[in-house]
Amino acid sequence: MARVLEPLIVGRVIGEVLDFFNPSAKMIVTYNTNKLVCNGFELYPSAILNKPRVEVQGGDLRSSFTLVMTDPDVPGPSDPYLREHLHWIVTDIPGTTDASFGREMVSYESPRPTIGIHRFVFVLFKQKKRSTVVIPATRDQFNTRRFAEDNDLGLPVAAVYFNAQRETAARRR
């Protein structure tokens, strides 16, 4: 399990966004059917405009999961005073399928970093019961730990992150 968490520790996801946890499920995040999200890899904003497919493995028909996607580096990594910016919340994801079968509580907002390299973090929680999630009033200054606590989600069961930065016109070609 240490090898699974190491990139999250090195990327400061564990520490700044999440507490240490023991992964107990597998989450596979894919954009445009061929762009697999791997810890610390860079994806271009033009490749992540549409919401990804998020597969959950490690659950069963009785399991439900909540997915949260945030950017802890808003407005920029050197002074992230709006930390974290919420990009997506999906609840009641069946334990044997993907997020498209869950309830989208906060619609997907495609990443558009303007300053520096941003981390975009997907966090998966196993729900203890059917969701009655408290929806945040704003996307800015979201806090994944507080959200988990307020909604009795406990520690994450899986997490993955990617990096993205502003894309110049030359880069999009």
Side-chain angles (χ1 to χ4, degrees):
M1 287 303 168
R3 284 182 38 211
V4 173
L5 293 179
E6 188 176 331
L8 296 170
I9 294 168
V10 170
R12 299 178 334 275
V13 171
I14 291 180
E16 291 182 7
V17 180
L18 304 172
D19 293 324
F20 188 85
F21 68 97
N22 289 315
S24 59
K26 185 174 182 183
M27 175 174 51
I28 301 166
V29 181
T30 312
Y31 279 96
N32 301 327
T33 69
N34 65 349
K35 300 247 186 271
L36 181 66
V37 172
C38 296
N39 284 317
F41 282 32
E42 183 173 357
L43 295 175
Y44 294 137
S46 59
I48 53 180
L49 293 173
N50 300 315
K51 64 180 141 186
R53 177 179 168 88
V54 179
E55 271 183 82
V56 177
Q57 298 174 351
D60 57 36
L61 292 173
R62 295 179 309 261
S63 306
S64 291
F65 295 87
T66 292
L67 173 73
V68 174
M69 179 188 177
T70 70
D71 175 355
D73 300 316
V74 174
S78 62
D79 185 19
Y81 64 87
L82 294 175
R83 174 178 294 164
E84 301 161 47
H85 183 80
L86 178 62
H87 281 270
W88 199 24
I89 295 178
V90 182
T91 64
D92 298 328
I93 302 167
T96 56
T97 186
D98 68 78
S100 65
F101 291 97
R103 289 178 40 212
E104 190 175 60
M105 304 302 286
V106 175
S107 63
Y108 179 78
E109 179 182 270
S110 59
R112 291 183 295 276
T114 55
I115 304 167
I117 299 170
H118 289 238
R119 296 166 293 166
F120 294 90
V121 183
F122 292 91
V123 184
L124 190 68
F125 297 96
K126 186 171 184 180
Q127 295 173 202
K128 296 175 182 163
K129 59 187 183 315
R130 206 79 182 139
S131 175
T132 54
V133 169
V134 177
I135 303 301
T138 177
R139 288 182 185 255
D140 286 329
Q141 296 177 329
F142 180 81
N143 184 296
T144 300
R145 287 182 181 103
R146 189 172 45 242
F147 175 80
E149 187 178 309
D150 291 349
N151 292 286
D152 194 27
L153 293 171
L155 291 172
V157 295
V160 67
Y161 82 101
F162 68 91
N163 295 318
Q165 61 185 309
R166 189 170 153 254
E167 191 170 4
T168 62
R171 235 171 152 189
R172 274 178 279 201
R173 287 186 206 153

